[in-house]
Amino acid sequence: LFDYIQTDKDTIKTALYALIFGAGTKRMQSILGEIPVNKFLAIPLIQSLFMARNEEIKRIKKNGGATTCFGEFLSVKQFSERSILAQLCQAMELKLLEPVIQMAIENTGSHGFKILLWQHDGFTWAPNDSVNMQLWKERLTNAVGEQAKLLGITTVLS
């Protein structure tokens, strides 16, 4: 993908996020800069994502909204289809990391850990005792790995 597009990881990642979260071609072109958006959208994987995204937007419109993985209905009367799509994706990112939050709540003592920074697709953490660094790293990695498997998501915590 990098060789074909001939750009850096950040540009491709930003363009992919924009595509998945519902950005139009003008926004995608502004992200891609000199790379023609049509060249990006012509890549078979990107084409599939684009078509799936558009089908999901149509489904949201037809159903008058959509329900997040947490059971919250998002209505098109309150949000645009693209906003709902973005919120569905963001809810799934949170659902993937839900075990981390639960473990942090349950392990506040000296042998536990703290979440220092929460990001949209990750987090920064520290053990309450540095002796437990490797133990918590393994536990968190395994917990997120198990959650990913349950959700049918192919990913790893790094």
Side-chain angles (χ1 to χ4, degrees), residues 17-112:
Y17 271 94
L19 172 78
I20 292 167
F21 285 104
T25 54
K26 285 183 181 180
R27 172 70 182 124
M28 302 232 350
Q29 186 61 69
S30 72
I31 293 166
L32 292 166
E34 294 181 22
I35 301 158
V37 72
N38 291 340
K39 181 177 181 177
F40 182 70
L41 294 174
I43 299 167
L45 174 64
I46 304 302
Q47 243 179 20
S48 294
L49 287 170
F50 189 61
M51 288 187 315
R53 181 208 70 183
N54 290 340
E55 287 302 313
E56 186 65 13
I57 289 172
K58 285 179 191 173
R59 187 186 66 75
I60 290 167
K61 189 174 191 169
K62 178 184 173 190
N63 294 334
T67 303
T68 72
C69 55
F70 292 104
E72 179 185 3
F73 184 74
L74 305 170
S75 172
V76 293
K77 292 177 182 175
Q78 187 175 8
F79 303 103
S80 71
E81 290 89 359
R82 288 181 181 186
S83 174
I84 292 171
L85 181 64
Q87 290 180 67
L88 292 172
C89 292
Q90 291 162 350
M92 188 55 73
E93 288 177 336
L94 181 59
K95 185 73 171 175
L96 178 63
L97 298 176
E98 188 177 34
V100 173
I101 298 166
Q102 192 60 44
M103 291 170 78
I105 291 168
E106 294 170 357
N107 295 279
T108 58
S110 61
H111 297 291

